[in-house]
Amino acid sequence: MSGKLYVVGTPIGNLEDFSPRAVRILSEVDFIAAEDTRVTLKLLNHFGIKKELVSYYEHNKISKGEILINRILNGESAAVVTDAGMPCISDPGQDLVDSAHNAGIAVESVPGPSALITALAISGFSSGRFCFEGFLSVNKISRKQHLNEIKSERRTLIFYEAPHKLIATLSDMMSVLGNRNIVLCKELTKIHETVMRTTFKDALIFFETNTPKGEYVLIIEGEKEEIKEYTLSDAVTIAKRLANSGESMSAAAKEAAADTGIKKGEVSKMSLM
């Protein structure tokens, strides 16, 4: 009988956010697949967990993934973790989970903190619908193409960015998306947690004299829907067009009033003049 793969979330900064269940699972599995074994070892040592660590990251995921899947198929249980937060989000763990499903291996979640959800929750921006866009490419052409693809997106946008690329990213975003409202979050759950709510323009001014430090989560407002302000003349034009298409003037005025917000009586009166 094959074993099981656990997807285990780890703290994004504050170790107090590590759940008792996560500690138990990591203590019970046969081995742990980690993005950076050095980072994960510090976490395990803090909680007194002694377990085999297997390096599993972007550049060895194909060769190592097959080995790990075979071990689980032979009855071992495993956990996959990332350096911080939930694995498999902009992370090679996604491939391991996909391979596990394809091999008929049971996959179980042990949820934990997530930088993108944490940042969205404290941004104050619309969270009913949002898009996670991960990291922008370092290739200039790919970056501009990516930004142009989401230029008209009305949902809140979420990006990750490294400090040494932040200024260039903010500049590119403003040139394509316009000077939108944004929230920049860093050091989430740590002592120096920073939440900066501003605009692209003001952020760029700020970073002219303040060197970016730490990994950032960028929350960007989606494109605003333009609300057309209708005049009485607009409403009359609509009503006359509807009347010419066969509707009664009363029905046409009512529909035009509903579409424009202009009072029906005013539309009816002007339509008859």
Side-chain angles (χ1 to χ4, degrees), residues 57-76:
Y57 58 100
E58 184 64 31
H59 299 296
N60 77 348
K61 64 182 182 182
I62 296 177
S63 59
K64 192 60 70 72
E66 184 176 351
I67 295 172
L68 300 184
I69 290 299
N70 285 331
R71 288 183 63 175
I72 301 172
L73 286 172
N74 287 326
E76 293 186 82

Side-chain angles (χ1 to χ4, degrees), residues 75-272:
E76 293 186 82
S77 59
V80 58
V81 300
T82 188
D83 291 349
M86 281 300 292
C88 311
I89 308 298
S90 285
D91 175 81
Q94 173 193 340
D95 295 86
L96 187 62
V97 170
D98 182 49
S99 295
H101 282 299
N102 290 334
I105 294 171
V107 179
E108 186 172 314
S109 65
V110 185
S114 169
L116 72 96
I117 296 299
T118 301
L120 177 63
I122 61 178
S123 71
F125 288 172
S126 176
S127 59
R129 301 179 67 201
F130 61 90
C131 297
F132 174 59
E133 298 292 327
F135 289 93
L136 278 178
S137 170
V138 295
N139 180 280
K140 289 185 178 182
I141 296 177
S142 296
R143 287 165 69 86
K144 288 294 179 71
Q145 181 180 356
H146 186 165
L147 291 171
N148 277 305
E149 286 174 355
I150 61 170
K151 184 176 181 179
S152 301
E153 178 58 66
R154 299 196 186 281
R155 292 173 289 185
T156 300
L157 302 167
I158 306 175
F159 285 87
Y160 286 159
E161 194 52 278
H164 65 282
K165 296 191 297 181
L166 180 66
I167 294 175
T169 292
L170 293 175
S171 180
D172 286 345
M173 286 178 167
M174 186 169 77
S175 68
V176 177
L177 305 178
N179 188 29
R180 298 191 190 181
N181 293 320
I182 63 170
V183 172
L184 299 94
C185 300
K186 69 171 183 174
E187 301 293 308
L188 290 170
T189 76
K190 299 179 183 178
I191 295 176
H192 299 294
E193 175 175 296
T194 302
V195 180
M196 179 182 179
R197 184 160 167 162
T198 181
T199 62
F200 283 130
K201 181 179 179 179
D202 289 341
L204 286 167
I205 292 173
F206 175 82
F207 288 118
E208 286 179 358
T209 54
N210 297 272
T211 303
K213 297 179 181 179
E215 300 293 323
Y216 285 82
V217 183
L218 310 180
I219 312 293
I220 305 166
E221 282 192 324
E223 185 183 51
K224 296 291 186 182
E225 182 177 2
E226 292 186 13
I227 301 176
K228 179 175 173 57
E229 293 292 335
Y230 289 97
T231 65
L232 177 56
S233 177
D234 293 329
V236 171
T237 298
I238 293 171
K240 288 183 176 180
R241 184 173 66 247
L242 292 170
N244 289 336
S245 66
E247 291 192 29
S248 67
M249 182 52 71
S250 177
K254 182 178 181 180
E255 187 172 340
D259 289 343
T260 63
I262 307 295
K263 292 182 179 179
K264 177 188 173 184
E266 295 181 12
V267 178
S268 296
K269 181 178 178 181
M270 291 297 297
S271 296
L272 297 173

Side-chain angles (χ1 to χ4, degrees), residues 41-55:
L41 182 59
K42 293 178 182 178
L43 177 69
L44 298 185
N45 287 340
H46 181 85
F47 289 95
I49 301 171
K50 297 185 182 300
K51 194 62 54 177
E52 178 189 355
L53 282 172
V54 179
S55 176

